[in-house]
Amino acid sequence: RKEVEQDPGPFNVPEGATVAFNCTYSNSASQSFFWYRQDCRKEPKLLMSVYSSGNEDGRFTAQLNRASQYISLLIRDSKLSDSATYLCVADNYGQNFVFGPGTRLSVLP
Amino acid sequence: GAGVSQSPSNKVTEKGKDVELRCDPISGHTALYWYRQRLGQGLEFLIYFQGNSAPDKSGLPSDRFSAERTGESVSTLTIQRTQQEDSAVYLCASSLTFNEKLFFGSGTQLSVL
């Protein structure tokens, strides 16, 4: 079983749509969680950290459910510039950060 | 000001040659990570440093791969006797301390012919 799993995608949505990505992690001891975005042939860039209470940054909302070991990212009013691959990340406590395989999003005009 | 700097940005080498990849982390960041990303694939963990020591080398694919970090700053990833399957983007990231958010360099694209 992969340590971090994500919806495979791709997600093709029209501009203005709301889209949700899901992610599960296998290490119950994980403490730190993030969403990164990666544009084609570029390095990953931090989108947002994920906190237990849930957190919002503009059009983006992240949620964490520790009991289910599940993380989500919601994007509202999607823009063309949101097209990218979204990576879910969990720490493998005491070892390293594990990245999910990513979910590709294409926002269509 | 600086972000994470990696060099070279591109490296083309012949099979069997050794290569050295360099990473300059953000100043003051104590944790440094190396990942590999093959074309169309996800990020594969290689090694991380806390200070100058590497608590976790479990991701290094073979004994041809080694890494070191000096002065709690620059790190080098060395691949000996390169093989075609080593072709990938090698990404370095740093964080203020372990378990903090990662900041990535723009990577080194390695092509082994």
Side-chain angles (χ1 to χ4, degrees), chain B residues 19-43:
Chain B
V19 295
E20 201 170 270
L21 313 180
R22 176 186 168 109
C23 173
D24 278 279
I26 293 171
S27 178
H29 279 197
T30 63
L32 185 149
Y33 303 77
W34 284 98
Y35 287 86
R36 176 170 74 177
Q37 188 171 33
R38 292 193 168 109
L39 188 63
Q41 303 294 311
L43 272 72

PDB file of all heavy atoms in Angstrom, chain B residues 19-43:
ATOM      1  N   VAL B  19      28.671  11.779 -11.577  1.00  0.00           N
ATOM      2  CA  VAL B  19      28.162  13.152 -11.586  1.00  0.00           C
ATOM      3  C   VAL B  19      27.979  13.632 -10.157  1.00  0.00           C
ATOM      4  O   VAL B  19      27.761  12.846  -9.228  1.00  0.00           O
ATOM      5  CB  VAL B  19      26.811  13.301 -12.340  1.00  0.00           C
ATOM      6  CG1 VAL B  19      26.981  12.982 -13.815  1.00  0.00           C
ATOM      7  CG2 VAL B  19      25.731  12.452 -11.711  1.00  0.00           C
ATOM      8  N   GLU B  20      28.099  14.949 -10.003  1.00  0.00           N
ATOM      9  CA  GLU B  20      27.922  15.574  -8.701  1.00  0.00           C
ATOM     10  C   GLU B  20      26.915  16.707  -8.841  1.00  0.00           C
ATOM     11  O   GLU B  20      27.080  17.589  -9.690  1.00  0.00           O
ATOM     12  CB  GLU B  20      29.266  16.117  -8.228  1.00  0.00           C
ATOM     13  CG  GLU B  20      29.371  16.333  -6.747  1.00  0.00           C
ATOM     14  CD  GLU B  20      30.804  16.629  -6.326  1.00  0.00           C
ATOM     15  OE1 GLU B  20      31.540  15.672  -6.022  1.00  0.00           O
ATOM     16  OE2 GLU B  20      31.173  17.821  -6.339  1.00  0.00           O
ATOM     17  N   LEU B  21      25.889  16.667  -8.021  1.00  0.00           N
ATOM     18  CA  LEU B  21      24.846  17.685  -8.051  1.00  0.00           C
ATOM     19  C   LEU B  21      24.927  18.481  -6.758  1.00  0.00           C
ATOM     20  O   LEU B  21      25.121  17.915  -5.681  1.00  0.00           O
ATOM     21  CB  LEU B  21      23.457  17.021  -8.183  1.00  0.00           C
ATOM     22  CG  LEU B  21      23.328  15.939  -9.264  1.00  0.00           C
ATOM     23  CD1 LEU B  21      21.910  15.379  -9.275  1.00  0.00           C
ATOM     24  CD2 LEU B  21      23.707  16.456 -10.621  1.00  0.00           C
ATOM     25  N   ARG B  22      24.705  19.792  -6.887  1.00  0.00           N
ATOM     26  CA  ARG B  22      24.903  20.652  -5.727  1.00  0.00           C
ATOM     27  C   ARG B  22      23.619  21.340  -5.322  1.00  0.00           C
ATOM     28  O   ARG B  22      22.797  21.701  -6.174  1.00  0.00           O
ATOM     29  CB  ARG B  22      25.960  21.704  -6.072  1.00  0.00           C
ATOM     30  CG  ARG B  22      26.217  22.732  -4.990  1.00  0.00           C
ATOM     31  CD  ARG B  22      27.165  23.812  -5.456  1.00  0.00           C
ATOM     32  NE  ARG B  22      27.197  24.928  -4.544  1.00  0.00           N
ATOM     33  CZ  ARG B  22      28.229  25.229  -3.756  1.00  0.00           C
ATOM     34  NH1 ARG B  22      29.325  24.479  -3.784  1.00  0.00           N
ATOM     35  NH2 ARG B  22      28.179  26.270  -2.959  1.00  0.00           N
ATOM     36  N   CYS B  23      23.471  21.541  -4.009  1.00  0.00           N
ATOM     37  CA  CYS B  23      22.298  22.245  -3.484  1.00  0.00           C
ATOM     38  C   CYS B  23      22.738  23.243  -2.420  1.00  0.00           C
ATOM     39  O   CYS B  23      23.432  22.876  -1.463  1.00  0.00           O
ATOM     40  CB  CYS B  23      21.306  21.248  -2.890  1.00  0.00           C
ATOM     41  SG  CYS B  23      19.915  22.025  -2.037  1.00  0.00           S
ATOM     42  N   ASP B  24      22.309  24.497  -2.591  1.00  0.00           N
ATOM     43  CA  ASP B  24      22.515  25.533  -1.579  1.00  0.00           C
ATOM     44  C   ASP B  24      21.168  25.839  -0.945  1.00  0.00           C
ATOM     45  O   ASP B  24      20.298  26.427  -1.611  1.00  0.00           O
ATOM     46  CB  ASP B  24      23.060  26.818  -2.210  1.00  0.00           C
ATOM     47  CG  ASP B  24      24.544  26.762  -2.428  1.00  0.00           C
ATOM     48  OD1 ASP B  24      25.267  27.001  -1.466  1.00  0.00           O
ATOM     49  OD2 ASP B  24      24.943  26.463  -3.568  1.00  0.00           O
ATOM     50  N   PRO B  25      20.960  25.463   0.302  1.00  0.00           N
ATOM     51  CA  PRO B  25      19.648  25.685   0.915  1.00  0.00           C
ATOM     52  C   PRO B  25      19.459  27.149   1.302  1.00  0.00           C
ATOM     53  O   PRO B  25      20.391  27.953   1.222  1.00  0.00           O
ATOM     54  CB  PRO B  25      19.717  24.816   2.167  1.00  0.00           C
ATOM     55  CG  PRO B  25      21.178  24.843   2.543  1.00  0.00           C
ATOM     56  CD  PRO B  25      21.923  24.867   1.229  1.00  0.00           C
ATOM     57  N   ILE B  26      18.261  27.457   1.728  1.00  0.00           N
ATOM     58  CA  ILE B  26      17.993  28.789   2.262  1.00  0.00           C
ATOM     59  C   ILE B  26      18.821  28.960   3.540  1.00  0.00           C
ATOM     60  O   ILE B  26      18.881  28.035   4.366  1.00  0.00           O
ATOM     61  CB  ILE B  26      16.485  28.954   2.547  1.00  0.00           C
ATOM     62  CG1 ILE B  26      15.720  28.948   1.210  1.00  0.00           C
ATOM     63  CG2 ILE B  26      16.211  30.231   3.327  1.00  0.00           C
ATOM     64  CD1 ILE B  26      14.206  28.888   1.358  1.00  0.00           C
ATOM     65  N   SER B  27      19.432  30.118   3.682  1.00  0.00           N
ATOM     66  CA  SER B  27      20.282  30.365   4.837  1.00  0.00           C
ATOM     67  C   SER B  27      19.506  30.173   6.143  1.00  0.00           C
ATOM     68  O   SER B  27      18.380  30.685   6.297  1.00  0.00           O
ATOM     69  CB  SER B  27      20.811  31.803   4.767  1.00  0.00           C
ATOM     70  OG  SER B  27      21.608  32.094   5.894  1.00  0.00           O
ATOM     71  N   GLY B  28      20.091  29.408   7.053  1.00  0.00           N
ATOM     72  CA  GLY B  28      19.450  29.182   8.345  1.00  0.00           C
ATOM     73  C   GLY B  28      18.566  27.957   8.396  1.00  0.00           C
ATOM     74  O   GLY B  28      18.113  27.553   9.470  1.00  0.00           O
ATOM     75  N   HIS B  29      18.317  27.355   7.243  1.00  0.00           N
ATOM     76  CA  HIS B  29      17.509  26.138   7.231  1.00  0.00           C
ATOM     77  C   HIS B  29      18.366  24.954   7.641  1.00  0.00           C
ATOM     78  O   HIS B  29      19.404  24.681   7.038  1.00  0.00           O
ATOM     79  CB  HIS B  29      16.923  25.902   5.837  1.00  0.00           C
ATOM     80  CG  HIS B  29      15.698  26.719   5.576  1.00  0.00           C
ATOM     81  ND1 HIS B  29      14.816  26.421   4.551  1.00  0.00           N
ATOM     82  CD2 HIS B  29      15.193  27.796   6.202  1.00  0.00           C
ATOM     83  CE1 HIS B  29      13.820  27.293   4.586  1.00  0.00           C
ATOM     84  NE2 HIS B  29      14.039  28.141   5.569  1.00  0.00           N
ATOM     85  N   THR B  30      17.915  24.239   8.668  1.00  0.00           N
ATOM     86  CA  THR B  30      18.733  23.148   9.184  1.00  0.00           C
ATOM     87  C   THR B  30      18.448  21.818   8.494  1.00  0.00           C
ATOM     88  O   THR B  30      19.279  20.921   8.514  1.00  0.00           O
ATOM     89  CB  THR B  30      18.525  22.982  10.698  1.00  0.00           C
ATOM     90  OG1 THR B  30      17.151  22.627  10.936  1.00  0.00           O
ATOM     91  CG2 THR B  30      18.851  24.270  11.440  1.00  0.00           C
ATOM     92  N   ALA B  31      17.268  21.676   7.917  1.00  0.00           N
ATOM     93  CA  ALA B  31      16.914  20.410   7.277  1.00  0.00           C
ATOM     94  C   ALA B  31      17.016  20.553   5.761  1.00  0.00           C
ATOM     95  O   ALA B  31      16.635  21.579   5.195  1.00  0.00           O
ATOM     96  CB  ALA B  31      15.497  19.986   7.662  1.00  0.00           C
ATOM     97  N   LEU B  32      17.535  19.523   5.137  1.00  0.00           N
ATOM     98  CA  LEU B  32      17.733  19.534   3.685  1.00  0.00           C
ATOM     99  C   LEU B  32      17.358  18.160   3.144  1.00  0.00           C
ATOM    100  O   LEU B  32      17.695  17.135   3.730  1.00  0.00           O
ATOM    101  CB  LEU B  32      19.192  19.870   3.366  1.00  0.00           C
ATOM    102  CG  LEU B  32      19.579  20.040   1.893  1.00  0.00           C
ATOM    103  CD1 LEU B  32      20.717  21.045   1.759  1.00  0.00           C
ATOM    104  CD2 LEU B  32      19.958  18.731   1.249  1.00  0.00           C
ATOM    105  N   TYR B  33      16.642  18.153   2.025  1.00  0.00           N
ATOM    106  CA  TYR B  33      16.093  16.916   1.452  1.00  0.00           C
ATOM    107  C   TYR B  33      16.474  16.806  -0.021  1.00  0.00           C
ATOM    108  O   TYR B  33      16.508  17.812  -0.726  1.00  0.00           O
ATOM    109  CB  TYR B  33      14.561  16.922   1.526  1.00  0.00           C
ATOM    110  CG  TYR B  33      13.993  17.102   2.910  1.00  0.00           C
ATOM    111  CD1 TYR B  33      13.967  18.356   3.525  1.00  0.00           C
ATOM    112  CD2 TYR B  33      13.458  16.019   3.605  1.00  0.00           C
ATOM    113  CE1 TYR B  33      13.434  18.526   4.792  1.00  0.00           C
ATOM    114  CE2 TYR B  33      12.914  16.182   4.875  1.00  0.00           C
ATOM    115  CZ  TYR B  33      12.912  17.435   5.455  1.00  0.00           C
ATOM    116  OH  TYR B  33      12.386  17.595   6.714  1.00  0.00           O
ATOM    117  N   TRP B  34      16.690  15.583  -0.451  1.00  0.00           N
ATOM    118  CA  TRP B  34      16.857  15.287  -1.869  1.00  0.00           C
ATOM    119  C   TRP B  34      15.731  14.360  -2.316  1.00  0.00           C
ATOM    120  O   TRP B  34      15.446  13.346  -1.652  1.00  0.00           O
ATOM    121  CB  TRP B  34      18.193  14.605  -2.141  1.00  0.00           C
ATOM    122  CG  TRP B  34      19.397  15.494  -2.107  1.00  0.00           C
ATOM    123  CD1 TRP B  34      20.265  15.674  -1.071  1.00  0.00           C
ATOM    124  CD2 TRP B  34      19.893  16.304  -3.183  1.00  0.00           C
ATOM    125  NE1 TRP B  34      21.266  16.554  -1.426  1.00  0.00           N
ATOM    126  CE2 TRP B  34      21.057  16.945  -2.719  1.00  0.00           C
ATOM    127  CE3 TRP B  34      19.465  16.546  -4.492  1.00  0.00           C
ATOM    128  CZ2 TRP B  34      21.817  17.817  -3.520  1.00  0.00           C
ATOM    129  CZ3 TRP B  34      20.209  17.409  -5.285  1.00  0.00           C
ATOM    130  CH2 TRP B  34      21.366  18.037  -4.795  1.00  0.00           C
ATOM    131  N   TYR B  35      15.132  14.705  -3.448  1.00  0.00           N
ATOM    132  CA  TYR B  35      14.109  13.876  -4.080  1.00  0.00           C
ATOM    133  C   TYR B  35      14.491  13.679  -5.546  1.00  0.00           C
ATOM    134  O   TYR B  35      15.218  14.474  -6.130  1.00  0.00           O
ATOM    135  CB  TYR B  35      12.726  14.547  -4.022  1.00  0.00           C
ATOM    136  CG  TYR B  35      12.090  14.554  -2.660  1.00  0.00           C
ATOM    137  CD1 TYR B  35      12.384  15.576  -1.744  1.00  0.00           C
ATOM    138  CD2 TYR B  35      11.198  13.561  -2.276  1.00  0.00           C
ATOM    139  CE1 TYR B  35      11.804  15.580  -0.480  1.00  0.00           C
ATOM    140  CE2 TYR B  35      10.609  13.559  -1.016  1.00  0.00           C
ATOM    141  CZ  TYR B  35      10.916  14.572  -0.132  1.00  0.00           C
ATOM    142  OH  TYR B  35      10.344  14.584   1.125  1.00  0.00           O
ATOM    143  N   ARG B  36      13.935  12.629  -6.117  1.00  0.00           N
ATOM    144  CA  ARG B  36      14.113  12.367  -7.549  1.00  0.00           C
ATOM    145  C   ARG B  36      12.724  12.295  -8.180  1.00  0.00           C
ATOM    146  O   ARG B  36      11.791  11.730  -7.590  1.00  0.00           O
ATOM    147  CB  ARG B  36      14.859  11.043  -7.742  1.00  0.00           C
ATOM    148  CG  ARG B  36      15.006  10.624  -9.184  1.00  0.00           C
ATOM    149  CD  ARG B  36      15.961   9.449  -9.322  1.00  0.00           C
ATOM    150  NE  ARG B  36      15.420   8.179  -8.880  1.00  0.00           N
ATOM    151  CZ  ARG B  36      16.073   7.026  -8.980  1.00  0.00           C
ATOM    152  NH1 ARG B  36      17.300   7.002  -9.500  1.00  0.00           N
ATOM    153  NH2 ARG B  36      15.526   5.906  -8.560  1.00  0.00           N
ATOM    154  N   GLN B  37      12.606  12.852  -9.376  1.00  0.00           N
ATOM    155  CA  GLN B  37      11.338  12.790 -10.092  1.00  0.00           C
ATOM    156  C   GLN B  37      11.609  12.383 -11.532  1.00  0.00           C
ATOM    157  O   GLN B  37      12.180  13.158 -12.306  1.00  0.00           O
ATOM    158  CB  GLN B  37      10.600  14.134 -10.038  1.00  0.00           C
ATOM    159  CG  GLN B  37       9.189  14.057 -10.602  1.00  0.00           C
ATOM    160  CD  GLN B  37       8.377  15.317 -10.353  1.00  0.00           C
ATOM    161  OE1 GLN B  37       8.913  16.424 -10.326  1.00  0.00           O
ATOM    162  NE2 GLN B  37       7.070  15.164 -10.152  1.00  0.00           N
ATOM    163  N   ARG B  38      11.204  11.182 -11.856  1.00  0.00           N
ATOM    164  CA  ARG B  38      11.312  10.730 -13.242  1.00  0.00           C
ATOM    165  C   ARG B  38      10.160  11.335 -14.030  1.00  0.00           C
ATOM    166  O   ARG B  38       9.127  11.722 -13.475  1.00  0.00           O
ATOM    167  CB  ARG B  38      11.265   9.209 -13.314  1.00  0.00           C
ATOM    168  CG  ARG B  38      12.500   8.551 -12.713  1.00  0.00           C
ATOM    169  CD  ARG B  38      12.551   7.096 -13.101  1.00  0.00           C
ATOM    170  NE  ARG B  38      13.838   6.495 -12.785  1.00  0.00           N
ATOM    171  CZ  ARG B  38      14.007   5.615 -11.813  1.00  0.00           C
ATOM    172  NH1 ARG B  38      13.002   5.253 -11.057  1.00  0.00           N
ATOM    173  NH2 ARG B  38      15.208   5.088 -11.611  1.00  0.00           N
ATOM    174  N   LEU B  39      10.314  11.392 -15.348  1.00  0.00           N
ATOM    175  CA  LEU B  39       9.341  12.046 -16.215  1.00  0.00           C
ATOM    176  C   LEU B  39       7.951  11.439 -16.011  1.00  0.00           C
ATOM    177  O   LEU B  39       7.782  10.217 -16.114  1.00  0.00           O
ATOM    178  CB  LEU B  39       9.778  11.898 -17.676  1.00  0.00           C
ATOM    179  CG  LEU B  39       8.972  12.680 -18.702  1.00  0.00           C
ATOM    180  CD1 LEU B  39       9.090  14.174 -18.448  1.00  0.00           C
ATOM    181  CD2 LEU B  39       9.419  12.327 -20.111  1.00  0.00           C
ATOM    182  N   GLY B  40       7.005  12.301 -15.689  1.00  0.00           N
ATOM    183  CA  GLY B  40       5.625  11.858 -15.533  1.00  0.00           C
ATOM    184  C   GLY B  40       5.332  11.106 -14.246  1.00  0.00           C
ATOM    185  O   GLY B  40       4.233  10.566 -14.077  1.00  0.00           O
ATOM    186  N   GLN B  41       6.314  11.059 -13.357  1.00  0.00           N
ATOM    187  CA  GLN B  41       6.154  10.311 -12.111  1.00  0.00           C
ATOM    188  C   GLN B  41       6.112  11.250 -10.903  1.00  0.00           C
ATOM    189  O   GLN B  41       6.330  12.455 -11.029  1.00  0.00           O
ATOM    190  CB  GLN B  41       7.335   9.329 -11.936  1.00  0.00           C
ATOM    191  CG  GLN B  41       7.514   8.360 -13.089  1.00  0.00           C
ATOM    192  CD  GLN B  41       6.356   7.403 -13.220  1.00  0.00           C
ATOM    193  OE1 GLN B  41       5.935   6.784 -12.241  1.00  0.00           O
ATOM    194  NE2 GLN B  41       5.810   7.273 -14.416  1.00  0.00           N
ATOM    195  N   GLY B  42       5.856  10.680  -9.747  1.00  0.00           N
ATOM    196  CA  GLY B  42       5.836  11.445  -8.506  1.00  0.00           C
ATOM    197  C   GLY B  42       7.222  11.645  -7.930  1.00  0.00           C
ATOM    198  O   GLY B  42       8.223  11.206  -8.508  1.00  0.00           O
ATOM    199  N   LEU B  43       7.285  12.319  -6.795  1.00  0.00           N
ATOM    200  CA  LEU B  43       8.557  12.565  -6.125  1.00  0.00           C
ATOM    201  C   LEU B  43       8.967  11.351  -5.305  1.00  0.00           C
ATOM    202  O   LEU B  43       8.191  10.841  -4.498  1.00  0.00           O
ATOM    203  CB  LEU B  43       8.449  13.779  -5.192  1.00  0.00           C
ATOM    204  CG  LEU B  43       8.740  15.137  -5.818  1.00  0.00           C
ATOM    205  CD1 LEU B  43       7.620  15.548  -6.742  1.00  0.00           C
ATOM    206  CD2 LEU B  43       8.966  16.177  -4.739  1.00  0.00           C
TER     207      LEU B  43
END
